[in-house]
Amino acid sequence: MLSSMLKEHQAKQVSRREVQEKRKKEAAVAATAVTRSLVENLNSRVAIAYNNEKRLDSETKQLQANSGQFAKQSMQWLSLVENFNQALKELGDVENWARSIETDMQTIASALEYAYKDTS
């Protein structure tokens, strides 16, 4: 009887070990699946962040190029406005000079007319 109980006990232990081993393997498979799922999820987020960073870098370079071109165009416009302003000043000087000449000519014409009237 004792030997049969021992054999029964050993059989139960073997059975429990097998169940325990089976559960251990299932737990390892489940842990691997969870880990793989987490890594894939993390990798997809990292990939999205990397693509966003890459796009931002590209747009930043484009913005810098556009800013440089805008600055160059602004300088050209400033130069054109300055030249136009200078031309307007010169026209004002010419107009002032022409008025001065016209006034002098009117004075001379008046003097000649007065002198002509006195001699006639």
Side-chain angles (χ1 to χ4, degrees), residues 73-84:
Q73 286 177 342
S74 295
M75 293 303 291
Q76 289 174 343
W77 275 101
L78 287 173
S79 176
L80 285 172
V81 168
E82 183 63 33
N83 290 342
F84 181 70

Side-chain angles (χ1 to χ4, degrees), residues 19-76:
V19 169
Q20 188 177 13
E21 200 60 38
K22 182 180 174 186
R23 288 182 182 164
K24 192 185 226 184
K25 287 179 182 178
E26 288 174 355
V29 168
T32 302
V34 167
T35 304
R36 185 177 296 129
S37 177
L38 289 173
V39 167
E40 286 175 1
N41 188 16
L42 183 62
N43 282 343
S44 69
R45 289 182 183 179
V46 168
I48 290 170
Y50 176 74
N51 287 334
N52 288 342
E53 181 183 3
K54 201 171 167 185
R55 194 175 77 221
L56 282 173
D57 286 343
S58 173
E59 289 179 9
T60 301
K61 288 177 184 177
Q62 182 66 34
L63 180 62
Q64 286 175 340
N66 289 346
S67 295
Q69 186 177 9
F70 178 71
K72 185 178 177 182
Q73 286 177 342
S74 295
M75 293 303 291
Q76 289 174 343

